[in-house]
Amino acid sequence: MEYVGTIIGPMLDGTVVTLRMFFVTIALSLPLGLLLALGRISRYRVISGGIGVYIWLFRGTPLMLQLLFVYFALPLLPYIGIRLDDFPAAVLAFVLNYAAYFAEIFRAGIQSIDRGQYEGAKVLGMNYVQTMRRIILPQVVRRVLPPISNETITLVKDTSLIYVLAMNDLLRTARTIVQRDFSTTPFLVAAGFYLVMTLVLTWLFQKLERRYAAYDE
């Protein structure tokens, strides 16, 4: 326990980096995913097709490859080369990746709503924006909570991939201490931190699901 006490400080610092990446990614990718979902079901084929290609690209390639491309390859592109620091580069890759997954979740949720509700809203004089905001999206949120919960928990674990950019997140901090002290204890402590974070998220989403389920009774 005395040894654990000596490594808790650095591990907490690494956890702050992990949580920062998590919250920024969620805050940006959820609304972007919703916008992409609305574009994906658009009647305009250029928009829906373009977004379809985007979703296919980011869901079909590894997140680690996307991280490496944004950080190392993006600056080398002719004419449009952009060099980003490690944190902005990681945020960009994570947001683009998770927005693609959230877009498909929202799209499925929106398309699961009965078409009669759109027609009913039209009879009441609502336009498209009013229909989505007042009628469709409240129901969609209830239906997509379980898959969003799964993706959110996966995001906590995926944040460990930022070690490839030499960012001192929780996992990289643990690995550094293991290499320094020749002890596997830091890995066990890191696992405990990840389990606590996923436990809190699981509890929060279960409360949200029970709250929305109450509206169906």
Side-chain angles (χ1 to χ4, degrees), residues 1-8 177-178 180-183 185-186:
M1 290 301 297
E2 183 178 350
Y3 174 70
V4 172
T6 62
I7 65 174
I8 283 293
I177 298 174
V178 166
R180 183 194 68 192
D181 299 343
F182 298 99
S183 171
T185 300

Side-chain angles (χ1 to χ4, degrees), residues 17-165:
V17 176
T18 294
L19 289 175
R20 186 181 172 204
M21 177 62 60
F22 169 80
F23 284 117
V24 172
T25 300
I26 283 293
L28 297 177
S29 61
L30 275 174
L32 178 57
L34 178 57
L35 290 175
L36 290 171
L38 294 174
R40 187 73 177 92
I41 62 176
S42 169
R43 68 170 66 96
Y44 301 105
R45 292 187 177 181
V46 173
I47 296 176
S48 62
I51 293 175
V53 171
Y54 164 85
I55 292 173
W56 166 75
L57 178 64
F58 279 90
R59 294 179 71 203
T61 55
L63 176 55
M64 183 179 291
L65 177 61
Q66 295 164 20
L67 278 166
L68 294 173
F69 180 86
V70 170
Y71 189 71
F72 293 107
L74 200 59
L76 301 179
L77 293 178
Y79 305 111
I80 60 171
I82 301 174
R83 183 175 301 277
L84 299 173
D85 292 334
D86 51 9
F87 187 79
V91 167
L92 179 60
F94 268 81
V95 169
L96 292 176
N97 179 275
Y98 269 84
Y101 284 93
F102 287 138
E104 282 297 274
I105 292 173
F106 282 122
R107 179 197 58 79
I110 293 170
Q111 293 183 330
S112 71
I113 304 298
D114 186 81
R115 294 298 304 178
Q117 299 199 36
Y118 291 91
E119 296 170 2
K122 187 176 181 179
V123 170
L124 293 174
M126 294 185 184
N127 58 32
Y128 179 78
V129 174
Q130 291 172 327
T131 300
M132 294 301 296
R133 182 168 59 88
R134 299 180 181 180
I135 306 296
I136 305 303
L137 291 183
Q139 298 179 72
V140 169
V141 169
R142 181 169 62 248
R143 297 188 182 191
V144 303
L145 271 177
I148 284 181
S149 170
N150 291 336
E151 287 298 327
T152 303
I153 291 172
T154 300
L155 173 58
V156 172
K157 295 176 287 184
D158 278 351
T159 55
S160 62
L161 295 176
I162 62 177
Y163 83 90
V164 299
L165 304 186

Side-chain angles (χ1 to χ4, degrees), residues 3-4 7-8 11 170 174 184-195:
Y3 174 70
V4 172
I7 65 174
I8 283 293
M11 300 287 279
L170 175 58
T184 59
T185 300
F187 283 149
L188 297 177
V189 175
F193 275 91
Y194 281 114
L195 287 171

